[in-house]
Amino acid sequence: MLAAAGSPALRAGVERVPLTRSVVRRFVPGDDLAAALGAVRTLGESGLTVSLDHLGEDTTSAADASATVDSYRALLAALSEAGLTAAAEVSVKLTALGLSLPDGRRRALDNARLVAAAARAAGTAVTVDMEDHTVTDAILETVLELRQDFPDTAAVLQAYLRRTAADCRVFAGPGSRVRLCKGAYDEPADVAFSTRGDVDRSYVECLGILMAGQGRPLVATHDPRLIAIADALAVRNGRVPADWEYQLLYGVRPAEQRRLVEHGFAVRVYLPYGDQWWGYLMRRLAERPANMAFFLRALATRG
Ligand code: FDA
């Protein structure tokens, strides 16, 4: 699945099958702004906040990177106009903002500043998603530069990387928003833990560092054991629900999302929208064999 995420031929084949859409809709509520705003409102009725991702990654031209900035500006303006920015922030991928282009570092930073400025004008903030390990340093350094002007910019750290406990110590300072996830890319064994047990142990160690720190941990997982451990670590560190939050993906364990809200926790749903859903969908299918079966069944039924 993770290899398929990078295959243009497979992508073209699957996109030609219209019913693929119904599978996509489980994880991506729609292609356009109206669908995204509708989902924000619906989730808001259950007390859920959101982080919106305008889908796209690995942009190969400066014009596409600028178009991504324009999409985020339009999104933030629409959220503001609809009075939804108290409950909604945005997540951006630096490769969608041009990080892989020849002058990528400078371009991605400049474009990220434009998105962060639009977020501030709308009364909200940005999270910079984490991508594969070849760009970890570039992304974290860019977040630190962005934070000079936009201190509420959140970083994302992946527990499967062997380096991440050390990164958590760097990012656990006052006011620092840090999303901790397991990690979704196919990484070599010298940079990432490969067994579930090792990844989970690393997640708990990293969470311990963030909860004991002075920042705002954003606990991104659907794993029931880790969800329970986060609550216990928060209590042990004297944190109240306003000091940290759970984050889950749109369409994954929706009943758990509502249960956590009902128990008084702050819960944010990662909400992707747009027509560039291929890479995102492949990562979600790779996470769970049952999702893959669901996807293949939908394709077979159509065929
Ligand atoms: P795990 O995969 O062990 O799943 C635990 C349980 O959750 C499963 O048994 C199943 O019940 C359920 N579950 C998990 N994934 C599911 C799915 N796709 N469909 C249905 N059920 C599922 N990664 C990254 O590299 N960079 C990033 O920036 C982000 N950002 C991010 C934001 C948010 C809010 C979340 C929740 C996740 C991310 N991720 C991410 C993805 C993350 O790294 C990881 O791949 C997934 O969250 C799956 O890991 P879990 O912690 O959920 O555990």
Side-chain angles (χ1 to χ4, degrees):
M1 280 297 99
L2 293 174
S7 163
L10 195 53
R11 173 186 181 151
V14 171
E15 280 177 342
R16 273 198 296 272
V17 180
L19 245 213
T20 312
R21 296 264 137 188
S22 66
V23 185
V24 177
R25 286 292 164 264
R26 174 169 165 208
F27 297 107
V28 180
D31 286 352
D32 57 14
L33 248 177
L37 294 187
V40 177
R41 285 198 190 88
T42 306
L43 292 165
E45 285 163 14
S46 302
L48 294 156
T49 60
V50 300
S51 188
L52 284 142
D53 167 27
H54 181 265
L55 287 166
E57 50 200 278
D58 288 334
T59 294
T60 52
S61 78
D64 285 350
S66 295
T68 301
V69 173
D70 291 343
S71 300
Y72 274 99
R73 283 174 155 161
L75 166 64
L76 285 156
L79 285 169
S80 173
E81 201 169 309
L84 292 170
T85 43
E89 56 144 60
V90 296
S91 288
V92 297
K93 285 191 174 47
L94 292 187
T95 60
L97 297 181
L99 186 63
S100 314
L101 299 176
D103 60 343
R105 286 288 284 268
R106 170 56 45 197
R107 188 178 297 275
L109 176 60
D110 289 348
N111 282 337
R113 278 191 212 281
L114 295 174
V115 176
R120 174 178 288 169
T124 187
V126 172
T127 295
V128 179
D129 282 349
M130 187 48 75
E131 304 182 57
D132 74 65
H133 81 279
T134 62
V135 286
T136 308
D137 280 323
I139 291 175
L140 292 182
E141 284 162 24
T142 304
V143 169
L144 291 175
E145 285 185 74
L146 263 180
R147 280 185 174 180
Q148 290 173 14
D149 293 325
F150 304 97
D152 52 4
T153 304
V156 179
L157 298 175
Q158 298 154 316
Y160 66 8
L161 293 186
R162 296 176 188 274
R163 59 178 284 169
T164 294
D167 287 331
C168 285
R169 290 187 191 93
V170 173
F171 278 83
S176 173
R177 296 199 307 135
V178 181
R179 177 195 296 160
L180 180 66
C181 62
K182 287 190 184 179
Y185 296 82
D186 189 16
E187 300 291 18
D190 57 327
V191 300
F193 299 111
S194 50
T195 68
R196 193 187 165 97
D198 284 344
V199 175
D200 289 1
R201 265 187 292 282
S202 171
Y203 197 106
V204 173
E205 180 188 2
C206 292
L207 199 51
I209 296 166
L210 296 176
M211 285 288 187
Q214 295 169 285
R216 180 177 174 83
L218 314 173
V219 182
T221 183
H222 314 98
D223 189 325
R225 278 198 320 146
L226 295 178
I227 286 175
I229 289 171
D231 182 18
L233 283 172
V235 171
R236 188 185 303 167
N237 286 283
R239 285 180 178 270
V240 295
D243 294 341
W244 64 286
E245 69 191 38
Y246 286 116
Q247 296 194 345
L248 295 91
L249 301 176
Y250 180 82
V252 179
R253 305 198 68 204
E256 174 68 359
Q257 298 175 7
R258 290 190 297 274
R259 186 193 72 84
L260 290 168
V261 170
E262 281 155 19
H263 279 74
F265 295 108
V267 184
R268 192 175 295 279
V269 173
Y270 186 96
L271 179 57
Y273 76 99
D275 56 8
Q276 306 275 305
W277 43 261
W278 176 254
Y280 181 85
L281 179 71
M282 289 303 112
R283 288 194 292 280
R284 301 294 77 81
L285 297 184
E287 277 154 12
R288 203 166 176 241
N291 289 346
M292 185 59 197
F294 177 56
F295 180 64
L296 291 175
R297 246 193 331 270
L299 285 180
T301 312
R302 182 66 187 172

